[in-house]
Amino acid sequence: MSREYLKKATLTAQSHASEVHDTVKTILADIEAGGDAKAMEYAAKFDKFEGNVLMTPEEIEAACARVPEKLKADIRFAQDNVRRFAEAQKATVSDVQLEIVPGFIAGQKAIPVDAAGCYVPGGRYSHIASAIMTVTTAKVAGCRHITACSPPRPGEGVAPAIVYAAHISGADSILAMGGVQGVAAMTYGLFGLPRANILVGPGNQFVAEAKRILYGKVGIDMIAGPTDSLILADATADPFVVATDLVSQAEHGYNSPVWLVTDDRDLATQVMEMVPTLIADLPELNRDNAAAAWRDYAEVILCADREEMAACSDDYAPEHLTVQAADLDWWLERLTCYGSLFLGEETTVSYGDKATGTNHVLPTSGAASYTGGLSVHKYMKIVTWQWATREGSKPIAEATARISRLEGMEGHARAADVRLAKYFPDENFDLTADE
């Protein structure tokens, strides 16, 4: 298939990754060895905050009181949507059991992890929605203890709206600590917190790398890179809406890729002309981020037809995938690799990022080719169990003994032999691996 790049990225999400890895590895090792004191040392250096690290109930109450009632209503609206969607997800997971052979029962149980650590970005932007997305789903899953961790601002602490969102969503503790030190504190159980069984939530490249390095010592939602978004648009799409949506996602950060894939050259040309003007009209921080992301990471790809567009999208496996094209049912059936899908002009990634109920913690950097985003299921362990009568274990034991011997695992075979000998002493069994 031929794909014409009308705009080609000069950098990728993996650019400069090795420098970040070395820095994060050093910080994690220092904090693991030095505990609370070393974490506080890094917090003083990076967070520049001198207040309580673990917020008291009184501090949480005071922060919540500072949130305007109008914003509280919006946060409650979004949190209710996320909670109801998470509850619907949880209903899809059930305990099951099956009689494998008469008298031998095997089953499945879904058990929530004990402690969840939810990272909520608060640096460039106050990610109120991330507090809702991560804490609410952990609460619905049934986690016993949930820590929300967010960077404090010098002299202010954690943004009051983040505190309010985390509090009403069910956080048991709120940790005023950012970056690698915050992730480490939850992982190692510092400041009297329980050790997290799973770390979730978005963050900058340092937070993402900390989670990647710690994976195995602790569970994580996914290995994440910078947020990315792809729009599939045909001749029926509104170029201004397409351009606006691209810019809205590019403002996330200087290294946040956005991609337009289309089969209409005129649409592509119009969008490319509009984007710089839309970026220039943003506030300074947003403008600088979006300008760098568009300059260095954005791509505009022209395809022959919608099938080639879909194939191109699946190759990119974007975190956010928007379709602004005719015949939305066809696209829903055809597309297979994305974190979250937004069908039609009437919805947008911004809706999913903030308030629709679907989770905005999603796979990036092509990970959508093999995993989905954060959900109730990520906080739950699917475990199995079995129980048998003596008669029910009989055919299982025979097969186990013979298969084990064929594999050369005599110890396994004898664990089956001993049960057959004990339960059926008057019977003879052929337990060899011979023909």
Side-chain angles (χ1 to χ4, degrees):
M1 289 188 279
S2 64
R3 297 172 189 169
E4 182 181 349
Y5 284 81
L6 303 182
K7 184 181 186 313
K8 181 72 174 172
T10 57
L11 296 174
T12 71
Q14 283 69 46
S15 299
H16 313 302
S18 61
E19 302 165 20
V20 172
H21 173 83
D22 292 342
T23 300
V24 172
K25 188 176 179 181
T26 298
I27 296 172
L28 288 174
D30 284 350
I31 294 175
E32 185 173 19
D36 292 10
K38 184 58 71 170
M40 290 296 293
E41 187 179 312
Y42 276 108
K45 178 179 179 180
F46 296 122
D47 296 331
K48 297 179 172 59
F49 176 66
E50 298 179 355
N52 282 332
V53 171
L54 200 59
M55 293 185 69
T56 66
E58 293 75 20
E59 288 171 332
I60 291 171
E61 183 179 346
C64 291
R66 292 165 56 193
V67 181
E69 289 301 321
K70 185 177 180 180
L71 179 54
K72 284 183 176 178
D74 287 335
I75 291 172
R76 288 194 299 269
F77 171 77
Q79 195 273 336
D80 183 64
N81 291 341
V82 173
R83 176 188 54 79
R84 290 186 294 112
F85 192 82
E87 289 172 345
Q89 286 181 321
K90 188 177 181 182
T92 67
V93 179
S94 59
D95 295 349
V96 298
Q97 63 181 53
L98 174 68
E99 191 168 34
I100 302 298
V101 297
F104 200 107
I105 310 296
Q108 165 185 295
K109 279 179 63 68
I111 303 174
V113 300
D114 189 59
C118 302
Y119 190 85
V120 182
R124 286 190 300 257
Y125 309 115
S126 293
H127 283 251
I128 300 166
S130 289
I132 297 170
M133 302 285 175
T134 57
V135 176
T136 300
T137 46
K139 192 70 175 179
V140 171
C143 297
R144 183 188 61 82
H145 189 279
I146 303 165
T147 299
C149 172
S150 190
R153 292 177 176 175
E156 298 179 19
V158 178
I162 287 179
V163 174
Y164 179 74
H167 181 61
I168 69 163
S169 297
D172 297 289
S173 303
I174 300 179
L175 185 65
M177 186 171 282
V180 178
Q181 60 272 20
V183 171
M186 293 189 290
T187 301
Y188 302 135
L190 304 185
F191 308 108
L193 295 169
R195 284 178 173 263
N197 303 116
I198 187 169
L199 296 171
V200 303
N204 63 19
Q205 63 266 44
F206 294 96
V207 170
E209 182 62 15
K211 288 167 63 180
R212 191 192 70 78
I213 292 172
L214 290 167
Y215 178 52
K217 189 185 296 285
V218 64
I220 64 172
D221 47 3
M222 63 200 75
I223 295 173
T227 188
D228 59 66
S229 298
L230 187 148
I231 296 179
L232 293 163
D234 65 11
T236 68
D238 182 332
F240 181 72
V241 173
V242 172
T244 300
D245 284 356
L246 288 169
V247 172
S248 73
Q249 291 303 298
E251 78 170 351
H252 270 288
Y254 72 92
N255 57 352
S256 296
V258 292
W259 306 296
L260 171 61
V261 177
T262 182
D263 59 357
D264 187 80
R265 185 181 295 273
D266 184 54
L267 174 90
T269 300
Q270 290 184 63
V271 169
M272 291 171 67
E273 289 173 351
M274 292 177 181
V275 164
T277 301
L278 292 172
I279 290 175
D281 193 44
L282 290 172
E284 183 179 3
L285 174 62
N286 313 61
R287 180 175 67 244
D288 291 347
N289 283 330
W294 178 255
R295 180 188 66 237
D296 298 331
Y297 293 86
E299 295 185 333
V300 178
I301 306 166
L302 185 64
C303 296
D305 52 37
R306 70 179 186 177
E307 175 57 39
E308 187 173 308
M309 289 167 62
C312 180
S313 175
D314 281 348
D315 286 345
Y316 276 64
E319 176 188 10
H320 308 102
L321 176 57
T322 298
V323 178
Q324 294 181 17
D327 196 2
L328 295 177
D329 288 341
W330 182 88
W331 294 98
L332 178 59
E333 181 67 24
R334 168 62 184 80
L335 295 164
T336 61
C337 297
Y338 51 83
S340 194
L341 179 62
F342 301 82
L343 292 163
E345 180 186 296
E346 292 73 20
T347 189
T348 176
V349 174
S350 296
Y351 290 178
D353 277 350
K354 309 303 177 188
T356 53
T358 57
N359 211 289
H360 81 186
V361 182
L362 299 166
T364 64
S365 304
S369 64
Y370 62 82
T371 189
L374 182 62
S375 69
V376 166
H377 312 117
K378 294 280 187 176
Y379 298 95
M380 305 188 80
K381 303 174 290 185
I382 304 300
V383 298
T384 57
W385 58 268
Q386 54 188 263
W387 170 90
T389 63
R390 292 185 171 189
E391 196 64 43
S393 74
K394 185 177 180 181
I396 302 293
E398 292 181 85
T400 296
R402 289 191 287 265
I403 291 171
S404 296
R405 289 198 167 92
L406 186 62
E407 293 175 337
M409 304 188 75
E410 184 61 24
H412 280 63
R414 292 180 185 181
D417 295 349
V418 71
R419 286 164 171 77
L420 290 170
K422 178 178 181 178
Y423 303 154
F424 309 100
D426 298 328
E427 294 189 42
N428 293 318
F429 300 94
D430 178 8
L431 303 177
T432 68
D434 301 331
E435 294 268 343

